[in-house]
Amino acid sequence: MNQVRIDLYSDTSTRPTPGMRKAMAEAEVGNEQAKEDPTTNRLIERVADLLGKEDAVFLPSGSMCNAIAYRVHCQQGDEVICDKTAHVIHYEVGGPAALSGVMIRPMDGVNGIFTAAQAEAAVRPVNSNHHPRTRLISIEQTSMGGGGTIWPQETIRALGQVAKKHKLAYHMDGARLMNAAIGSGVKAKDIAAPVDSTWLDLTKGLGCPVGAVLAGSKDFIAQAWRWKHQFGGAMRQSGIIAAAGIYALDHNIERLAEDHANAKHLATLLADIPGIKVDPKAIQTNIVFYDVSGTGVPAPELHKALMAQGIRIGGARDAAIMRSLTHLDVSKKQIEEAVQALAQAVKDARPKAKAS
Ligand SMILES: Cc1ncc(COP(=O)(O)O)c(C=O)c1O
């Protein structure tokens, strides 16, 4: 395989910068399981404060944050309301079913966003001997499957009212919560105020090699610690990686605006390629989905042609839809090079596509 020079596959494709590596090398460390790692303790305090929650816990991944939150909030047989595009449904290997024994009630949202009325209509009757117990509303900020859409504050609050009315727990997958904060201008703690639990992924956009931080009430985090141990997520000298997280909070949040501007630029350039369908005005953060079916060339073929040049333009979800993400390790100039290469690949492949 060619060395990938330009990687738009994911905002996890970043490498720690020299500054981040220096912070990691110099981190003070201790035993995280005993809550004695000073750097991890500083990181969780910072994230709890950023998200306006009482407490937080450091975990190896975002998937583990979702898994533990579901485990704390739900019992076997409970039902979780979330959008049909949710990461927990499609990309966590059935984790909600396997680890928490829950059912998922997928909502038919628009670009990953469903309404309070949809959630309200999905809540099951209580005290029924037939239905699962509705227990949790779970949203994803931003919505990855929706194309990086930011949940409007009114909708987040309205869903909070539904949760309160029906005594449901309320969780926010915050893989790209800081993208939402920067993209909307709403403070992270205000975004997270209505939910019981949320988290930040340090490896998406923020440029860290490992880690995510789950936040909630003191009681929620005390329970989360039990599952962290059971799921194998309790660590030792985790200060080495927590230091990267602190560095990211100090250096890599405000700059997400640059990724968002680059994503809009990418979409604008893509829209000029004949046969590619994308609306640059719809891009809210760092994710761009685009339909290549009008080019007559299947997405996996375009993907392969660019990979041969060391350019990974993203994932091909199917024959029509491609996905590209902007991040810290990809510049505006590289995006322009990638789009040029894509336009050329479409041209080169067209005669073949027509002939077949
Ligand atoms: C919306 C969303 N939630 C959860 C995750 C899982 O995070 P991790 O890869 O850190 O386990 C991802 C990762 O891509 C994601 O995009």
Side-chain angles (χ1 to χ4, degrees), residues 10-12 60-64 66 86-88 91-92 140-145 173-176 199 201 203-204 211-212 323:
S10 167
D11 47 4
T12 58
S61 70
S63 300
M64 198 181 281
N66 280 337
H87 196 273
V88 283
Y91 306 108
E92 293 180 22
E140 196 177 290
Q141 179 72 304
T142 63
S143 163
M144 194 275 280
D173 170 332
R176 296 182 182 82
W199 54 274
D201 212 324
T203 66
K204 300 209 168 66
R323 182 193 90 160

Side-chain angles (χ1 to χ4, degrees), residues 263-272 278-284 288:
K264 238 185 206 313
H265 185 53
L266 169 67
T268 307
L269 298 175
L270 286 170
D272 280 343
V278 56
D279 177 8
K281 289 193 295 299
I283 306 303
Q284 297 183 5
V288 183

Side-chain angles (χ1 to χ4, degrees), residues 94-279:
L99 304 171
S100 297
V102 294
M103 309 268 295
I104 298 272
R105 187 84 181 273
M107 299 289 99
D108 191 14
V110 176
N111 296 328
I113 313 288
F114 57 90
T115 64
Q118 284 175 297
E120 175 84 49
V123 175
R124 306 280 189 175
V126 285
N127 300 327
S128 159
N129 285 337
H130 299 280
H131 302 285
R133 178 180 73 141
T134 309
R135 179 60 196 131
L136 176 67
I137 296 177
S138 183
I139 64 175
E140 196 177 290
Q141 179 72 304
T142 63
S143 163
M144 194 275 280
T149 347
I150 300 172
W151 280 79
Q153 271 314 102
E154 319 79 81
T155 312
I156 297 175
R157 279 195 289 263
L159 282 168
Q161 276 157 15
V162 175
K164 202 174 243 165
K165 179 173 160 195
H166 296 281
K167 298 190 173 57
L168 312 178
Y170 191 11
H171 173 70
M172 179 185 284
D173 170 332
R176 296 182 182 82
L177 179 44
M178 296 320 300
N179 292 86
I182 295 298
S184 64
V186 180
K187 284 199 178 90
K189 59 175 64 163
D190 293 333
I191 293 175
V195 302
D196 299 307
S197 54
T198 188
W199 54 274
L200 273 196
D201 212 324
L202 300 169
T203 66
K204 300 209 168 66
L206 298 183
C208 297
V210 203
V213 182
L214 175 65
S217 67
K218 277 201 183 314
D219 179 55
F220 170 84
I221 295 299
Q223 294 181 64
W225 262 97
R226 287 185 55 76
W227 301 115
K228 169 177 158 91
H229 273 270
Q230 192 178 89
F231 291 173
M235 295 177 265
R236 300 293 184 196
Q237 288 72 30
S238 59
I240 298 279
I241 49 176
I246 294 171
Y247 183 91
L249 297 181
D250 289 337
H251 296 89
N252 294 345
I253 291 182
E254 294 303 324
R255 65 148 308 285
L256 289 170
E258 204 180 305
D259 296 345
H260 299 173
N262 280 344
K264 238 185 206 313
H265 185 53
L266 169 67
T268 307
L269 298 175
L270 286 170
D272 280 343
I273 301 178
I276 291 191
K277 231 184 345 186
V278 56
D279 177 8

Side-chain angles (χ1 to χ4, degrees), residues 9 12 16-17 21 41 44 53 139 169 188 211 227 286-287 309-310 315 351:
Y9 171 68
T12 58
T17 57
R21 286 173 188 265
N41 291 342
I44 59 181
K53 299 296 176 203
I139 64 175
W227 301 115
N286 68 326
I287 303 179
Q309 302 169 52

Side-chain angles (χ1 to χ4, degrees), residues 7-57:
D7 200 345
L8 292 161
Y9 171 68
S10 167
D11 47 4
T12 58
S13 307
T14 53
R15 302 275 195 284
T17 57
M20 184 177 277
R21 286 173 188 265
K22 183 166 182 291
M24 294 171 79
E26 291 172 358
E28 251 189 288
V29 296
N31 181 0
E32 191 252 1
Q33 290 194 5
K35 304 189 185 174
E36 287 170 358
D37 185 281
T39 310
T40 303
N41 291 342
R42 266 200 296 137
L43 172 68
I44 59 181
E45 273 169 33
R46 286 276 304 267
V47 175
D49 183 54
L50 182 69
L51 302 182
K53 299 296 176 203
E54 284 177 358
D55 205 354
V57 60

